[in-house]
Amino acid sequence: MIIGVPREIKDNEARVGVTPAGVKALAEAGHTVLVETQAGEQSGFPDESYQNAGAEIVGDAGHVWGNSALVVKVKEPIEPEYVYFREGLILFTYLHLAPMRALTDKLLESKMICIAYETVRDSRGTLPLLTPMSEVAGRMSVQVGANYLEKERGGRGILLGGVPGVPPAHVAILGGGIVGTNAARIALGLGARTTLIDMNLNRLRELDDIFNGRLYTLASNSYNVAQVTREADLVIGGVLIPGATAPKLVTRAMVAEMKKGAVIVDVAIDQGGCVETARPTSHSNPSYKVDGVVHYCVTNMPGAVPNTSTLALTNSTFPYLLRLANLGARDALRQDAGLAEGLNTWLGTLTHGGVAESQQRAWTAPANVIK
Ligand SMILES: NC(=O)c1ccc[n+]([C@@H]2O[C@H](COP(=O)([O-])OP(=O)(O)OC[C@H]3O[C@@H](n4cnc5c(N)ncnc54)[C@H](O)[C@@H]3O)[C@@H](O)[C@H]2O)c1
């Protein structure tokens, strides 16, 4: 199969869909890989590294899209890329179609086969192609928070780990899923006093075990959230109710009660945020203050560390990509029900219930179109 890897052109997107290691494995399996020039540059992979791995470097995006049977990307296509859509072309990428009716229309009109990273499931029912980005954001949240706690960045001038004779900072983590667990690991590693709140008691039991009692765990209720945020130097928001807007666990009144110069990193901002005073920010203007509390609410935190993020993402996406290339879309989807859950459009038919529900339109289950 001929596989195309275009350069991402969405604002601030520095990741790339395939690494040189992926190119090598695809080439060894007999496939041809067309990589647009500079596609991996910002992730730390120059053209030369792709060429050495067996890719053909191509000067323009039109050539990549036009000559490939499968295009692998990171973000959803944006308008200048719509002209490249054509019947039967397989697109493997993050799509987040639910709120994007115009893109959905285009993909259906042009009869593309679109498999969205964010809806692929594994045998345990989790979302394996979303997990790596939550791992990155969770670990990064403590690093970012530690930075903003410095006086120069507007924080209260406190070192997370303290020093002998001086107590460490208090980190409060809301949500004990992937983001929360990874944040806890780094916060504890840096020596902070760390408390994690979740509504799922079994999850708290697991975390108590994993961290050997070093992590303080608390059941989620507004009393506990108010108390913990009042005492915290750094609050990290990582709650998620799948498919829904994040619950506002930290109210405006709780923020007003926080220490001046404390920091909130609301990772859940991509789902609306779990702090009432949080609003989406970008890497070019990442923070602002409310009631003297620094808020950092960047919606695509992994974008700041494209090298790590590209490697983490492609570690997870590559096995699926290789199967799609080896078997073709129909057989790969037939053989893996979890991958089939990633199918969002098939040759003009909408095939994802969640997208259909958000856009109030008809859909057909993947099993009915790929048989
Ligand atoms: N900003 C970014 O760049 C970025 C990057 C990756 C992930 N995220 C977002 O971070 C959020 C968390 O992702 P995740 O992968 O950790 O999700 P997850 O499903 O693994 O974990 C969510 C946790 O929240 C808990 N929870 C739900 N409601 C709660 C409540 N009322 N009180 C306390 N806990 C509650 C759940 O029990 C679960 O343990 C998501 O919104 C995700 O999209 C953002």
Side-chain angles (χ1 to χ4, degrees), residues 137 141 144 174 179 234-240 246-250 263-281 286 288 294-301:
S141 64
V144 165
L174 310 174
V179 165
L234 169 59
V235 172
I236 292 169
V239 304
L240 173 68
K248 302 284 182 213
L249 296 195
V250 181
V263 175
I264 295 174
V265 178
D266 196 349
V267 185
I269 192 68
D270 60 343
Q271 295 290 126
C274 58
V275 176
E276 202 178 344
T277 46
R279 55 174 167 76
T281 61
Y288 60 94
V294 180
H295 289 54
Y296 173 100
C297 312
V298 172
T299 47
N300 64 332
M301 292 174 64

Side-chain angles (χ1 to χ4, degrees), residues 90-111:
I90 307 165
L91 178 63
F92 190 40
T93 189
Y94 284 123
L95 272 176
H96 295 286
L97 281 186
M100 284 191 271
R101 199 179 178 96
L103 174 59
T104 313
D105 284 341
K106 278 277 166 211
L107 294 170
L108 290 171
E109 259 166 45
S110 47
K111 304 199 165 143

Side-chain angles (χ1 to χ4, degrees), residues 221-352:
N221 56 51
S222 65
Y223 183 89
N224 283 346
V225 173
Q227 185 170 12
V228 153
T229 49
R230 206 179 303 126
E231 290 169 5
D233 300 294
L234 169 59
V235 172
I236 292 169
V239 304
L240 173 68
I241 298 174
T245 313
K248 302 284 182 213
L249 296 195
V250 181
T251 62
R252 185 173 289 274
M254 291 180 197
V255 172
E257 292 274 296
M258 285 176 67
K259 297 174 193 167
K260 301 300 165 216
V263 175
I264 295 174
V265 178
D266 196 349
V267 185
I269 192 68
D270 60 343
Q271 295 290 126
C274 58
V275 176
E276 202 178 344
T277 46
R279 55 174 167 76
T281 61
S282 65
H283 288 295
S284 44
N285 197 5
S287 69
Y288 60 94
K289 270 190 177 179
V290 176
D291 288 335
V293 175
V294 180
H295 289 54
Y296 173 100
C297 312
V298 172
T299 47
N300 64 332
M301 292 174 64
V305 287
N307 181 274
T308 302
S309 300
T310 289
L311 289 166
L313 175 65
T314 56
N315 279 344
S316 304
T317 54
F318 187 75
Y320 292 102
L321 173 62
L322 188 60
R323 259 179 280 143
L324 284 164
N326 286 345
L327 300 169
R330 190 185 292 269
D331 281 347
L333 292 163
R334 271 189 191 151
Q335 288 181 20
D336 182 345
L339 180 60
E341 289 206 44
L343 188 67
N344 279 222
T345 70
W346 175 270
L347 304 173
T349 304
L350 185 63
T351 51
H352 195 273

Side-chain angles (χ1 to χ4, degrees), residues 14-81:
R15 289 170 294 176
V16 60
V18 179
T19 62
V23 167
K24 184 164 183 288
L26 286 165
E28 281 168 359
H31 305 293
T32 299
V33 189
L34 308 179
V35 176
E36 186 181 348
T37 182
Q38 300 210 312
E41 193 70 32
Q42 293 188 75
S43 291
F45 306 118
D47 286 354
E48 205 187 6
S49 61
Y50 284 101
Q51 217 154 13
N52 292 340
E56 196 181 306
I57 304 297
V58 173
D60 79 303
H63 185 101
V64 174
W65 285 81
N67 290 281
S68 304
L70 187 162
V71 165
V72 58
K73 275 174 54 62
V74 177
K75 295 302 280 185
E76 77 281 357
I78 59 171
E79 228 167 305
E81 293 170 312

